[in-house]
Amino acid sequence: MVCYLKIKLFWRFIVNIVLLGKPGSGKGSLVEILLKSVGCQGMIHISTGNILRQNIKDGTELGQLIQSYTEQGQLVPDEVIIDLVRDRLSQSDVDYGFILDGFPRTVAQAEALTEMTKLDLVVNLQVSDKEIIRRLSGRRTCRQCGSIYHTDSIGDPMVCEKCEGELFIRSDDKLEAIAERLQVYRVETDPLVNFYKKQGILCRVRCTGKSREEVSALVWDQIMVFSLKKMEENIERIFANPEARRELAEALAEGRRIGEQLRKASIPTYEQMHTPCDI
Ligand code: AMP
């Protein structure tokens, strides 16, 4: 608990993160790993894809409105998704920071987000199209508990290993929808790389051929680098206060330890376990 409070001081400098990346680039699983690490405790994961899927499942008015877009791999209209995110970001649980996954996806959404809140860091997860197609076309989702598998790493491609629920292929993971989603990404979302580069808050992480854990360690490094820059800006204020100085030193040591842990948990990638493929 003591350690957690100290890390909170650390986090005062860096709280709001956006993950950019093609569908299937691993944004969701990266967030899962990061949020389990002590450095990100208290932060909220906001996935627009998950919110929309939940609305479709619950048969809400919004769900009925957007179902056909998501099934075909098209984007939901900007005004609908912007209202949804504005509403989510107005809730008090985002006070300790958030990781936005799947939003923004268009320049109009990015502009609206700039009006809503201040971002600290935008992480661009880079994965080749070939790898995306392999990942998404083999993805199976459990109808009952929502667990996600890849056909390369499960025994029975029809049954969930956790709850024995039925595994299915999400309609937007079918080949035609994947092609559509990649094309939409190129046209609508790629321009955001320049949008955030100009703001000086973009960092790139090359993910092809890397395990989820390796990627999470690299992203954590970027968070540390960014935090250090922010601290530099506040250095006089921190060093004027001995307590803050001590807490900062401990928070930095903790930050390094988290990076080490993420790295050590590294598991082999699909490519390392099977015949290497040229990506
Ligand atoms: P995801 O799980 O993030 O790939 O999102 C699944 C689907 O939800 C997308 O293919 C879109 O149809 C829709 N969606 C999610 N986020 C957005 C967004 N920011 N703008 C428009 N549509 C979105």
Side-chain angles (χ1 to χ4, degrees), residues 21-36:
K22 293 170 189 169
S25 58
K27 300 186 290 292
S29 37
L30 169 67
V31 178
E32 228 174 78
I33 297 178
L34 282 178
L35 291 192
K36 267 190 220 150

